[in-house]
Amino acid sequence: MTTTLWTRVDSPVGALLLTADATGALTSLSVPGQKNGRTVQAGWRQDSGPFRDAEEQLAAYFAGELKDFRLEFSTAGSEFREKVWAALDSVPYGATVTYGEIAARIGASRAAVRAVGGAIGANPLLVVRPCHRVIGANGSMTGYAGGLERKVRLLTLEGFLQA
């Protein structure tokens, strides 16, 4: 049986639920009310120890002092999703891209934009894997599993939007 470790971390966007595998690699970061977000399951073990780096980096990010997370991740997705998630990881702090730009970065056709959106929506690492930096082609604040209010808050924190 696979061990899932978990902890909760307070943040300006709500209590964050972090999970890790037995090695301590971060497997998910969910926010309250997140579409398809994780919830604590029977058999999971609460242990804040493996999450110290994540807690420190999240605190520094929310304080405006950290622009790039340096955490070990262990996520499982299809080859397509992994490509999309890797493209998300390359979007710099304070910048945005469109779904079409992510499709182009991974070599997918324009017709794949919907599939790209689905992969972004399935991102298990909100905040640290910056899916909040993806906007609609017309600049609109579209689709964020953690809720549009949180997306706006994160983009404001990063200086992309004005407070």
Side-chain angles (χ1 to χ4, degrees), residues 91-107:
V91 180
Y93 181 96
T96 60
V97 296
T98 66
Y99 294 90
E101 289 169 327
I102 292 289
R105 286 183 185 192
I106 66 166

Side-chain angles (χ1 to χ4, degrees), residues 6-155:
W6 70 276
T7 195
R8 281 201 174 82
V9 176
D10 288 331
S11 84
V13 295
L16 307 176
L17 172 64
L18 284 70
T19 64
D21 62 20
T23 70
L26 195 62
T27 55
S28 74
L29 187 155
S30 301
V31 297
Q34 175 184 331
K35 181 181 175 186
N36 299 319
R38 295 189 85 178
T39 56
V40 176
Q41 303 294 309
W44 287 11
R45 193 174 82 222
Q46 185 173 13
D47 182 354
S48 61
F51 301 99
R52 283 193 183 95
D53 283 346
E55 288 183 57
E56 289 173 8
Q57 290 184 42
L58 285 161
Y61 169 79
F62 286 116
E65 300 165 356
L66 180 80
K67 294 183 179 3
D68 295 305
F69 288 97
R70 304 222 185 281
L71 298 168
E72 184 180 344
F73 304 142
S74 178
T75 55
S78 67
E79 183 179 340
F80 180 81
R81 284 184 175 180
E82 292 289 344
K83 283 182 184 179
V84 170
W85 297 342
L88 288 176
D89 290 337
S90 71
V91 180
Y93 181 96
T96 60
V97 296
T98 66
Y99 294 90
E101 289 169 327
I102 292 289
R105 286 183 185 192
I106 66 166
S109 70
R110 288 288 298 160
V113 170
R114 194 181 237 17
V116 166
I120 291 170
N123 170 22
L125 295 167
L126 266 61
V127 182
V128 297
R129 179 171 283 145
C131 53
H132 59 276
R133 297 178 188 155
V134 183
I135 61 174
N138 63 358
S140 62
M141 297 295 121
T142 61
Y144 184 61
L148 290 181
E149 180 180 309
R150 283 190 183 99
K151 180 175 193 152
V152 167
R153 193 159 187 182
L154 293 169
L155 290 174

